[in-house]
Amino acid sequence: MATQFASATAPVASDQVQSAGPRPLRLLRFAAMVMPLAAVEAPLTTYVPPLYASLFGLSLPAIGAIFLLARLWDAVIDPAIGLLSDRTRSRFGRRRPWIVGGSVLFALGAFAAFLPPPSFGPFALSAALFVLYLGYSMIATPLAAWTGELSAQYHERTRIATYAMVMTALALLLALVLPSLLATRLAGQPAAQLAAMGAMVFLLLTITLPLGLGALPEPEPAKGPLPPLHLRQTIGFVLREKLLLRVLASNGAVRLGQGIRTALFVFFVAHYMNSPALAPALFLYQYVFGILACPIWLAIGRRVGKGRAAVAGELLQMTINLALLLVAPGGWPLLLALTTAQGLAQGSGNLMLRSIVADVADAHRLETGHDRIGLFFSVFSLSDKAGLALAVGIALPLVGALGFDPNHASTASALFGLKAVFALGPAIAHLISAAIIHGFPIDEERHGEIRRALAARDAAGLASDASHDRWLADEAHEGRN
């Protein structure tokens, strides 16, 4: 026992880190649980609103208000779910009960939203979305925390997060391709289009949930009494955790840049490049390379560290977006090259920052004695949503103020304004993200010190206890055999 514990707390070489982790097939099964969540995002934000307008005659302002309130509800409940899942104790673990319960609500809400009855109105749509997003958060936040708990190793956490990013990109690709196919085959049949999108979400949920829940064991929580639950005190923990705030601000800037690009992408291709038919295909094109990008950035992170990899990825994306200023109408070779580069750089900051959150949670637990990894991942998710919401609120009004109107012929100056915002908005956001995370103090060496201190203080702690590290070693041994 003493020998095993010593090996669990001793420093490990970088080549040992990889071998200590769960096997790829099990990680794929586990990471697949993100797919129904990712698959529901694109339809709900892009395709469902106009279909509801066509099917039920709801006004676009009414639909917009309903979806806005639903997303605000989604953002508000995230921290509460993260905090409560941290405090859950059951024979099934901390995270599994929330994921299973959330899946039921997610399925009920999705069923109502994608298979609505003929008399579906604004109040029924609101109720369906509120239930759907409640279930969404009950799955997503505990799942993110569980992902961060699977390994105590600095680089292994990035490897685990990479699997989740790949499965997310794959699900998004499916969710974007399906509506394009449905638009031609089920033209004029909005109810059938909604049902087909819902069927994809249900199929992914039905397949991935049982596979994922049994793929990997859930680490035991830290021993000891739970601290009293006080909302004001909890908010204070987040606001006083300066390293977490740096990660949140950097991630919010990443999402701001990505959101501006996404909000204006179709407008740029359709109006500035004067090729509306190519906009959906080009948008999908970058997601294909986004799937390939994840293992590339994992390798970069292993070589230079998470913080430096995040900075490098953000500066690369800044350069790519600045180069868009050189694209002229009809300049397809340059735009195609930049779109390819954007796909390969996409997700670099998201991947590294998501992995860093678990490291910050370790440092917080060492300082305070309390495990709040679920809370930390919930506010990380909140920074995602805040950045994307801010992007739409900035990009669309700004290009409108510069004279661009998609419903009318635009002047040369209006089109140049569209290109300027499309290029400079993300470039500035990615530069801000890089500046915020530059010089982040928890590198591989510092994280090793934190983990050894945690293990020495409490051998039965969250992911630093000897039994958890032995499980990792057993997994690696089984995989080699």
Side-chain angles (χ1 to χ4, degrees):
M1 176 72 74
T3 303
Q4 289 170 322
F5 177 72
S7 66
T9 59
V12 291
S14 59
D15 59 343
Q16 291 174 308
V17 172
Q18 172 69 22
S19 65
R23 290 176 295 168
L25 182 58
R26 291 200 179 191
L27 271 179
L28 281 173
R29 287 171 52 193
F30 177 82
M33 287 193 287
V34 306
M35 294 188 74
L37 303 179
V40 85
E41 281 287 344
L44 282 180
T45 56
T46 307
Y47 301 107
V48 170
L51 290 175
Y52 264 90
S54 173
L55 189 61
F56 299 107
L58 299 178
S59 69
L60 289 180
I63 294 174
I66 291 170
F67 274 82
L68 175 61
L69 290 174
R71 293 317 302 258
L72 289 175
W73 158 250
D74 178 32
V76 167
I77 59 177
D78 266 344
I81 291 172
L83 182 63
L84 291 172
S85 73
D86 280 341
R87 300 171 64 85
T88 298
R89 301 290 184 268
S90 79
R91 56 185 292 236
F92 303 106
R94 292 195 288 177
R95 316 302 180 187
R96 279 194 185 92
W98 285 90
I99 293 173
V100 172
S103 297
V104 174
L105 294 177
F106 180 82
L108 290 174
F111 183 86
F114 288 101
L115 293 168
S119 59
F120 215 60
F123 290 107
L125 173 60
S126 300
L129 291 177
F130 272 57
V131 172
L132 188 152
Y133 280 122
L134 174 60
Y136 182 104
S137 292
M138 288 174 63
I139 300 171
T141 298
L143 182 58
W146 188 357
T147 301
E149 294 166 335
L150 282 175
S151 177
Q153 307 282 6
Y154 179 79
H155 289 302
E156 181 63 18
R157 282 175 168 170
T158 311
R159 173 178 171 256
I160 293 169
T162 299
Y163 278 80
M165 292 284 289
V166 169
M167 301 308 279
T168 298
L170 182 60
L172 283 171
L173 189 62
L174 291 174
L176 290 169
V177 168
L178 180 64
S180 300
L181 298 175
L182 297 177
T184 54
R185 298 191 179 185
L186 297 176
Q189 303 178 58
Q193 292 184 49
L194 278 173
M197 294 178 198
M200 180 183 66
V201 173
F202 283 116
L203 182 63
L204 288 174
L205 183 66
T206 303
I207 294 173
T208 62
L209 186 66
L211 284 175
L213 286 175
L216 296 170
E218 186 179 335
E220 290 290 330
K223 306 299 182 182
L226 292 170
L229 181 59
H230 300 296
L231 179 59
R232 181 180 299 178
Q233 195 176 50
T234 300
I235 296 173
F237 284 134
V238 172
L239 295 180
R240 286 193 298 271
E241 190 57 66
K242 294 181 180 179
L243 293 182
L244 178 64
L245 294 179
R246 279 182 68 177
V247 177
L248 297 180
S250 182
N251 185 65
V254 172
R255 289 303 195 182
L256 175 63
Q258 293 173 338
I260 292 174
R261 178 178 174 84
T262 299
L264 299 181
F265 189 92
V266 172
F267 292 136
F268 179 79
V269 176
H271 295 271
Y272 184 83
M273 302 299 290
N274 197 29
S275 298
L278 293 179
L282 200 60
F283 193 67
L284 289 173
Y285 176 79
Q286 70 175 358
Y287 272 97
V288 173
F289 285 94
I291 296 174
L292 301 175
C294 292
I296 294 173
W297 286 101
L298 171 62
I300 294 172
R302 285 187 179 280
R303 180 171 292 274
V304 304
K306 300 176 192 177
R308 290 179 179 177
V311 171
E314 294 309 293
L315 292 180
L316 177 59
Q317 291 188 76
M318 178 196 73
T319 304
I320 293 168
N321 281 281
L322 286 176
L324 287 168
L325 292 171
L326 302 176
V327 176
W332 286 103
L334 179 56
L335 180 60
L336 191 63
L338 293 175
T339 304
T340 303
Q342 182 68 43
L344 291 173
Q346 188 167 286
S348 53
N350 305 116
L351 175 61
M352 298 303 158
L353 294 171
R354 183 171 294 276
S355 180
I356 288 173
V357 172
D359 301 338
V360 175
D362 285 342
H364 176 83
R365 184 157 71 89
L366 179 62
E367 180 181 351
T368 67
H370 296 299
D371 169 30
R372 296 187 173 92
I373 189 171
L375 174 65
F376 282 19
F377 271 104
S378 70
V379 292
F380 183 82
S381 176
L382 193 59
S383 72
D384 272 346
K385 295 165 185 175
L388 293 173
L390 187 60
V392 176
I394 291 176
L396 297 183
L398 185 55
V399 296
L402 293 174
F404 175 72
D405 184 350
N407 297 317
H408 298 89
S410 297
T411 64
S413 62
L415 291 175
F416 179 80
L418 171 64
K419 181 175 78 167
V421 177
F422 181 64
L424 293 176
I428 293 171
H430 288 301
L431 176 61
I432 292 172
S433 175
I436 293 172
I437 207 65
H438 175 68
F440 196 76
I442 303 182
D443 56 9
E444 185 175 8
E445 180 179 357
R446 174 57 186 149
H447 184 254
E449 295 171 355
I450 292 170
R451 292 305 314 182
R452 290 190 292 274
L454 283 169
R457 187 183 68 184
D458 182 7
L462 174 58
S464 60
D465 62 89
S467 63
H468 179 270
D469 288 334
R470 287 199 303 275
W471 167 72
L472 289 175
D474 291 342
E475 281 289 299
H477 178 74
E478 185 181 347
R480 288 193 295 271
N481 293 337

